[in-house]
């Protein structure tokens, strides 16, 4: 062989061939077949060199290693599947000086690769003996290598041939085999083989130990099975069926799709149960635990209906209005249809009673095609109601969350946590804090119930919470939820809901055909004005149910059967009795010392009259009407403002010394608190002191400071709806809430003029009769504009400024 000879190259994928080794190869690539044919036609010599990356289909010079083995083609056989089987023998290492491309296959110019320096014969022999000793142990531990290989390798005449024989029979990684082939000295090769065999033997010993342990465990399981069969036969002879019951229970556990750690825990509990006496109290506890595990859903799920048009149709069928909530749900369904899973979607519906929060949750489940579970949290005081009781107690049970999942029977239901703001707290724990783990997407993937003591995945559950007010929800729990407010319904919305949903439902529920009952156009408005005064429609439905019962009684008393019945407004006295509310009791007349404030309660927004009476006295201030501390402080701030502005208001500087001021808020049995009545109290006080009347068509809300600034408040949507319901035409709001006006219902913005103000001077200019507006510089901020000329300018969106 000459150094400059160009030898055909056979690239090998993830195979390294060593010298003095005969090995069969399967060849399928055309360049490789051409190289083999060329070698077979000449001197049968071919360069066997490994590719750097096995995935490369057409390797070039840069894709091949520089050290390979020159082999001889011994046999070539064509296989039926089109590939070729080649038997080659490697006989010398070679280093590639350059690869030559061109033609059907690649050639290489090589040079022999000899050992760089010979090692002392004694050291080489010692290293070779060490390698053969380790190789004997390796073959003994490795079940796939026949023991005869050791004798064949030991019978070779040189340490080099022994080393290459050992390297060829070791099951090691491709990169390590190539590294062995490229060894520069025989000593380096033997040392690398010794080190590799030592580490491989350690791994094989560990694998053998694990295999022996597994075989022992299998033998132990077979022994336990035999003994259990005997025990079952004994129970059968004694007429006891407990043995069969255990077998059935174990079969159910085996068939149930459980996570591996849950299956291990359950089987351990089942084995403990077999050794217990049925009379033991622990027997019932363990049996109930297994029953809960097998009855909970772990992988079962319902197929979701991710059609936005279908969901829109379902939501519109069940609820009128509520566009913000519907849009949010449709957004959720749209994203879910695109990405498959959304984490962190905890919706909290906040609004007064009767606006449809609970029924909206049921509609969401129907729109998604999921199962719906409602869980009432009102009055829950024990943390164990959420997390479950520990199994140390007889009669303990999992918490309500796990119970809801068992009822749902799937892992992706819609769970409505109703009245989350009514959670209690006492010495038994804080259930609101326990809900943090349930509603936190970062934690509920591994919810741990005290009863189960295994992690349960709640991440696929769509949680929806409802509340009447955010005041009762802890800040940490509120931070984990997306708040969606549902304000009270307007009169036209109530009218549409009554006609489309409430009236037909109540007529059918009371055995009447809706086609045989006609209500004149003014009946429903009369019921709303005279018999209900609420943000929702619950009382309205009760009134309609009473009308339906009266009509059903009339129909039952007539022997002719079903007849058409017409209800007029004049019949309401007979059907519903005397109206509890006077539609005209809300006076819009101008009054001295009486201001209309706007309040936000759990039942929605309300218009609250604030009365102030001033009489001669010794400067005594009296506050009545069950006022809270914050509202009392607002009253004190209002009085301090009046004293500091006494000169500008035309009052005596010491008016507070010789006059008694009495501030009262009607409905004295109802507790009231909050800072938003500050400007209303100040306006009523100044009106009573100056004798100037307050406009009856004006209501106001805002917090006051000692310097007369008006600060933003909350609940503007509910308060504005209440003002519209009470026919108020002008509402004074803090300038900081001007940005919230755009989000109000269109009907409210069309009927009510909103006056954003910054100071009490502006409030007095609007609310008091005969007061001149305060003149300030003209500027534009968003959609609110302040004008220098007297009077109010009405902007296109219904806002007014002064």
């Amino acid at each position: 062989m000459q150094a400059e000879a160009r030898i055909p190259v056979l690239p090998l994928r993830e195979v390294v061939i060593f010298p003095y080794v005969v090995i069969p190869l399967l060849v399928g690539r055309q360049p490789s077949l051409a190289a083999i044919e060329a070698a077979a036609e000449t001197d049968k010599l071919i360069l066997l060199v490994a590719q750097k990356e096995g995935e490369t289909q057409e390797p070039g010079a840069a894709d091949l290693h520089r050290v390979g083995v020159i082999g001889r083609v011994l046999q070539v056989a064509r296989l039926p599947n089109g590939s070729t089987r080649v038997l080659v023998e490697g006989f010398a290492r070679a280093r590639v000086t350059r690869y030559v491309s061109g033609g059907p296959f690649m050639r290489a110019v090589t040079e022999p690769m000899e050992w760089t320096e010979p090692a002392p014969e004694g050291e080489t022999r010692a290293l070779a003996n060490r390698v053969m000793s380790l190789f004997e142990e390796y073959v003994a531990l490795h079940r796939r290598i026949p023991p005869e290989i050791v004798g064949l390798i030991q019978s070779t005449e040189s340490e080099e041939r022994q080393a290459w024989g050992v390297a060829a029979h070791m099951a090691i990684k491709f990169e390590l085999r190539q590294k062995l082939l490229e060894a520069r000295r025989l000593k380096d090769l033997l040392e690398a083989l010794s080190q590799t065999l030592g580490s491989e033997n350690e791994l094989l010993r560990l694998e053998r130990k694990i295999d022996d342990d597994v075989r022992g465990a299998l033998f132990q399981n077979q022994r336990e099975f035999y003994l259990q069969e005997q025990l079952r036969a004994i129970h059968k002879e004694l007429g006891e069926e407990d043995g069969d019951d255990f077998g059935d229970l174990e079969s159910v556990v085996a068939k149930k799709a459980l996570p591996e750690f849950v299956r291990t825990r359950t089987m351990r509990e089942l084995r403990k149960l077999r050794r217990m006496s049925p009379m033991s109290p622990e027997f019932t506890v363990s049996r109930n635990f297994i029953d809960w595990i097998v009855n909970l859903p772990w992988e079962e799920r319902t197929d979701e209906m991710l059609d936005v048009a279908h969901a829109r149709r379902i939501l519109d069928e069940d609820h009128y209005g509520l566009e913000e909530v519907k849009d949010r749900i449709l957004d959720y369904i749209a994203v879910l249809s695109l990405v498959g899973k959304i984490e962190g979607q905890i919706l909290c519906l906040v609004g007064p009673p009767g606006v449809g929060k609970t029924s909206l949750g049921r509609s969401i489940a129907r729109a998604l095609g999921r199962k719906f579970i409602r869980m009432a949290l009102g009055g829950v005081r024990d943390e164990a109601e959420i997390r479950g009781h520990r199994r140390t107690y007889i009669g303990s049970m999992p918490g309500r969350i796990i119970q809801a999942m068992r009822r749902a029977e799937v892992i992706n239901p819609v769970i409505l946590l109703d009245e989350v703001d009514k959670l209690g707290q006492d010495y038994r724990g804080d259930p609101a804090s326990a809900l943090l783990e349930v509603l936190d997407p970062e934690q509920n993937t591994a919810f741990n119930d005290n009863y189960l003591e295994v992690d349960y995945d709640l991440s696929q559950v769509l949680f929806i919470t409802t509340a009447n007010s955010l005041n009762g929800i802890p800040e940490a729990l509120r931070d984990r939820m997306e708040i969606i407010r549902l304000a009270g319904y307007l009169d036209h919305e109530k009218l549409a809901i009554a006609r489309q949903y409430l009236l037909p439902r109540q007529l059918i529920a009371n055995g009447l055909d809706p086609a045989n009952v006609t209500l004149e156009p003014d009946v429903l408005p009369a019921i709303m004005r005279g018999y209900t005064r609420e943000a929702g429609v619950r009382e309205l439905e009760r009134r309609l149910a009473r009308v339906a019962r009266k009509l059903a009684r009339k129909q039952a008393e007539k022997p002719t059967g079903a007849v058409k019945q017409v209800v007029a407004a004049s019949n309401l006295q007979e059907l519903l009795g005397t109206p509890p509310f006077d539609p005209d009791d809300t006076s819009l007349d101008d009054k001295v010392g009486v201001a209309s404030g706007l309040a936000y309660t759990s039942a929605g927004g309300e218009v609250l009259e604030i009365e102030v009476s001033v009489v001669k006295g010794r400067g005594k201030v009296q506050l009545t009407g069950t006022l809270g501390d914050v509202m009392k402080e607002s009253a004190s701030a209002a009085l301090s403002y009046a004293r500091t502005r006494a000169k500008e208001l035309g009052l005596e500087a010491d008016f507070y010394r010789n006059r008694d001021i009495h501030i009262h808020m009607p409905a004295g049995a109802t507790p009231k608190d909050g800072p938003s009545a500050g400007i209303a109290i100040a306006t009523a006080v100044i009106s009573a002191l100056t004798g100037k009347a307050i406009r009856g068509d004006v209501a106001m809300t805002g917090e006051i400071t000692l310097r007369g600034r008006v600060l933003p408040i909350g609940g503007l949507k509910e308060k504005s709806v209440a003002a519209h319901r009470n026919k108020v035409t002008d509402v004074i709001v803090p300038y900081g809430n001007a940005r919230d006006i755009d989000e109000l219902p269109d009907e409210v913005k069309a009927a009510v003029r909103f006056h954003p103000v910054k100071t009490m001077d502006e409030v007095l200019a609007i609310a008091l009769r005969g007061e001149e507006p305060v003149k300030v510089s003209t500027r534009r901020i968003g959609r609110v504009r302040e004008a220098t000329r007297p009077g109010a300018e009405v902007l296109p969106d219904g806002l007014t400024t002064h």
Side-chain angles (χ1 to χ4, degrees):
M1 184 185 68
Q2 296 181 358
E4 291 297 324
R6 297 183 177 183
I7 305 177
V9 176
L10 177 61
L12 303 177
R13 288 192 286 192
E14 297 184 353
V15 175
V16 176
I17 295 179
F18 296 102
Y20 314 115
V21 174
V22 178
I23 186 170
L25 299 173
L26 288 176
V27 181
R29 294 185 288 191
Q30 291 301 322
S32 300
L33 292 173
I36 291 171
E37 292 176 357
E41 292 174 357
T42 56
D43 55 2
K44 296 187 178 181
L45 296 182
I46 192 168
L47 179 64
L48 306 170
V49 62
Q51 297 179 193
K52 295 179 180 178
E53 297 293 337
E55 293 81 4
T56 306
Q57 293 297 326
E58 297 181 359
D63 300 319
L64 300 177
H65 286 283
R66 289 286 175 172
V67 176
V69 172
I70 296 178
R72 181 179 291 107
V73 178
L74 301 179
Q75 184 181 4
V76 179
R78 302 286 183 180
L79 299 181
N81 60 0
S83 60
T84 301
R85 185 177 182 272
V86 182
L87 188 66
V88 296
E89 178 187 10
F91 62 84
R93 295 189 300 166
R95 183 183 302 278
V96 178
T97 57
R98 61 190 176 92
Y99 287 102
V100 180
S101 301
F105 57 90
M106 185 181 298
R107 296 176 182 270
V109 177
T110 63
E111 61 182 12
M113 186 173 178
E114 304 291 345
W115 303 116
T116 56
E117 60 179 72
E121 185 176 351
E123 183 180 359
T124 303
R125 186 71 259 171
L127 283 173
N129 292 338
R130 165 77 176 162
V131 168
M132 290 307 303
S133 174
L134 291 172
F135 185 65
E136 286 184 31
E137 183 181 2
Y138 179 80
V139 173
L141 292 171
H142 204 295
R143 295 191 174 97
R144 295 183 180 180
I145 302 178
E148 294 82 7
I149 294 295
V150 179
L152 290 175
I153 295 176
Q154 286 178 339
S155 64
T156 57
E157 64 273 11
S158 68
E159 288 82 2
E160 180 183 0
R161 285 179 174 266
Q162 290 181 356
W164 291 128
V166 170
H169 288 88
M170 290 175 60
I172 55 179
K173 294 182 179 180
F174 160 76
E175 294 82 2
L176 186 54
R177 294 173 71 89
Q178 181 66 29
K179 184 177 179 182
L180 293 175
L181 181 64
E182 296 176 359
R184 295 181 177 273
R185 300 184 301 171
L186 179 58
K187 177 184 176 182
D188 296 340
L189 175 62
L190 291 172
E191 288 177 347
L193 286 173
S194 176
Q195 182 179 359
T196 304
L197 283 169
S199 60
E200 288 294 317
N201 289 345
E202 287 293 332
L203 288 175
L204 288 173
R205 279 194 291 270
L206 182 59
E207 290 178 3
R208 178 65 64 88
K209 179 179 182 302
I210 294 173
D211 186 59
D212 293 341
D213 292 343
V214 171
R215 291 177 182 273
L218 289 175
F219 174 76
Q220 180 66 21
N221 290 339
Q222 292 172 348
R223 178 174 176 274
E224 289 181 0
F225 175 77
Y226 175 72
L227 294 175
Q228 290 294 340
E229 288 296 323
Q230 286 186 327
L231 186 61
R232 185 177 292 108
I234 294 172
H235 279 296
K236 187 174 181 180
E237 291 296 327
L238 293 175
E240 300 176 0
E241 298 298 329
D242 289 342
D244 294 335
D245 187 44
F246 287 137
D248 294 341
L249 200 57
E250 186 172 357
S251 176
V252 172
V253 173
K255 293 178 181 178
K256 183 74 174 179
L258 298 173
E260 191 58 37
F261 68 94
V262 178
R263 185 181 301 280
T264 303
R265 178 73 177 83
T266 308
M267 295 305 295
R268 185 167 72 245
E269 196 72 22
L270 187 58
R271 288 194 295 270
K272 185 175 73 173
L273 186 65
R274 289 178 183 273
R275 297 191 293 267
M276 286 185 189
S277 168
M279 303 302 294
S280 170
E282 287 292 324
F283 183 89
T284 303
V285 174
S286 295
R287 176 57 192 265
N288 288 342
F289 169 79
I290 297 174
D291 286 341
W292 272 100
I293 290 291
V294 299
N295 285 297
L296 277 174
W298 296 92
E299 294 183 359
E300 299 84 356
R301 59 184 298 121
T302 54
D303 295 330
E304 296 174 318
M305 191 175 301
L306 303 177
D307 186 351
V308 177
H310 168 78
R312 163 63 77 176
R313 185 170 62 255
I314 293 296
L315 295 174
D316 288 341
E317 284 178 3
D318 294 346
H319 292 84
Y320 180 87
L322 304 179
E323 293 302 324
E324 180 183 355
V325 187
K326 291 179 181 178
D327 287 343
R328 181 63 187 84
I329 298 303
L330 294 177
D331 293 345
Y332 173 83
I333 296 174
V335 176
L336 191 62
S337 65
L338 295 177
V339 302
K341 182 179 180 182
I342 300 181
E343 297 181 354
Q345 303 300 318
I346 312 297
L347 305 180
C348 180
L349 308 179
V350 180
V355 296
K357 300 185 297 297
T358 303
S359 59
L360 189 62
R362 186 176 288 106
S363 296
I364 293 171
R366 192 159 75 95
L368 286 171
R370 295 190 181 188
K371 290 191 175 182
F372 176 75
I373 302 295
R374 175 182 173 270
M375 191 168 72
L377 297 180
V380 173
R381 294 179 174 273
D382 191 353
E383 179 188 351
E385 292 281 346
I386 306 298
R387 291 188 181 275
H389 301 81
R390 300 194 180 277
R391 283 185 287 122
T392 53
Y393 307 106
I394 301 299
S396 57
M397 292 182 65
R400 293 195 181 193
I401 300 295
I402 297 298
Q403 294 180 33
M405 296 303 296
R406 180 175 178 174
R407 295 199 308 271
E409 299 178 343
V410 290
I411 61 174
N412 62 336
V414 174
I415 295 184
L416 181 76
L417 304 178
D418 212 2
E419 309 293 352
V420 72
D421 58 327
K422 307 297 191 303
L423 285 170
Q425 180 180 356
D426 60 9
Y427 65 92
R428 290 169 291 188
D430 183 7
S433 298
L435 275 180
L436 296 178
E437 182 181 1
V438 176
L439 299 181
D440 191 343
E442 299 297 329
Q443 302 181 46
N444 64 10
T445 55
F447 173 69
N448 196 287
D449 187 274
N450 290 332
Y451 183 88
L452 298 181
E453 294 181 338
V454 294
D455 292 340
Y456 190 83
D457 187 2
L458 295 173
S459 62
Q460 300 189 54
V461 179
L462 175 58
F463 286 103
I464 300 175
T465 63
T466 70
N468 295 133
S469 173
L470 293 176
N471 295 333
I473 304 177
E475 187 65 31
L477 183 58
R478 191 187 316 172
D479 182 61
R480 285 163 170 79
M481 300 185 294
E482 180 178 349
I483 308 299
I484 300 178
R485 293 185 178 273
L486 282 72
Y489 291 115
L490 304 178
D491 285 349
H492 76 280
E493 292 176 325
K494 290 185 181 180
L495 192 61
I497 293 171
R499 286 175 178 166
Q500 298 177 24
Y501 304 97
L502 306 183
L503 183 59
R505 182 167 64 197
Q506 290 302 325
L507 292 176
I508 294 173
N510 288 278
L512 297 173
D513 185 359
N516 294 329
V517 178
T518 303
L519 270 65
E520 293 186 355
D522 57 344
V523 173
L524 289 176
I527 295 176
M528 289 190 300
R529 288 194 301 268
Y531 294 88
T532 65
R533 187 161 292 180
E534 58 177 345
V537 292
R538 194 167 289 162
E539 180 63 24
L540 177 60
E541 185 171 13
R542 280 194 286 265
R543 295 293 179 176
L544 292 176
R546 185 173 179 181
V547 171
R549 289 194 297 270
K550 295 291 186 181
L551 297 179
R553 177 180 173 184
K554 287 183 179 181
Q555 179 172 311
E557 290 175 348
K558 292 184 179 180
T560 56
V563 295
K564 290 188 176 294
Q565 301 187 66
V566 178
V567 179
S570 57
N571 303 131
L572 293 179
Q573 182 84 15
E574 174 189 355
L575 297 174
L576 297 177
T578 304
F581 304 106
D582 184 3
D584 300 324
D585 65 347
T586 304
S587 174
L588 299 180
D589 298 335
D590 299 348
K591 301 183 185 71
V592 175
V594 179
S596 296
L598 295 174
Y600 174 55
T601 69
S602 60
E606 291 185 5
V607 176
L608 185 67
E609 283 194 344
I610 300 172
E611 301 176 349
V612 176
S613 176
V614 178
V615 296
K616 291 184 178 181
R618 299 180 179 178
K620 179 181 178 182
V621 177
Q622 187 176 3
L623 303 173
T624 57
T626 319
L627 308 183
D629 292 338
V630 177
M631 188 165 283
K632 291 178 180 178
E633 293 169 0
S634 296
S636 299
L639 289 171
S640 298
Y641 168 76
R643 290 174 57 182
T644 56
R645 299 300 302 273
K647 183 177 180 180
E648 291 82 355
L649 296 173
L651 300 175
E652 299 176 2
D654 57 349
F655 71 90
Y656 58 91
R657 297 182 182 274
N658 52 21
R659 297 185 186 181
D660 290 344
I661 300 176
H662 186 176
I663 301 174
H664 176 69
M665 297 186 189
T670 304
K672 311 169 190 68
D673 204 358
S676 63
I679 64 172
I681 295 174
T683 303
V685 169
I686 292 171
S687 171
L689 290 171
T690 61
K692 295 181 180 179
I694 301 175
R695 291 172 53 189
D697 57 353
V698 172
M700 60 196 76
T701 179
E703 181 180 353
I704 186 176
T705 68
L706 293 177
R707 294 181 294 168
R709 291 191 303 121
V710 180
L711 303 183
I713 45 83
L716 180 62
K717 188 174 184 180
E718 290 80 2
K719 294 176 180 180
S720 62
V721 170
H724 177 265
R725 189 185 307 122
N726 287 270
K727 300 181 179 58
V728 173
T729 61
D730 294 82
V731 173
I732 301 174
V733 298
Y735 192 85
N737 292 106
R739 58 183 177 272
D740 301 327
I741 297 176
D742 286 339
E743 299 179 4
L744 300 180
D746 293 336
E747 294 79 6
V748 174
K749 291 191 291 185
V752 179
R753 292 187 296 271
F754 291 90
H755 305 265
V757 297
K758 294 182 178 179
T759 64
M760 270 302 301
D761 292 336
E762 300 175 63
V763 175
L764 298 177
I766 301 169
L768 297 182
R769 290 294 184 188
E771 193 75 13
E772 288 296 325
V774 178
K775 298 181 180 181
V776 294
S777 62
T778 302
R779 62 175 180 169
R780 190 172 184 83
I781 303 177
R783 301 183 65 188
V784 179
R785 186 170 62 200
E786 298 176 346
T788 58
R789 59 181 178 83
E793 179 181 357
V794 181
L795 300 183
D797 56 2
L799 303 180
T800 65
T801 59
H802 290 261

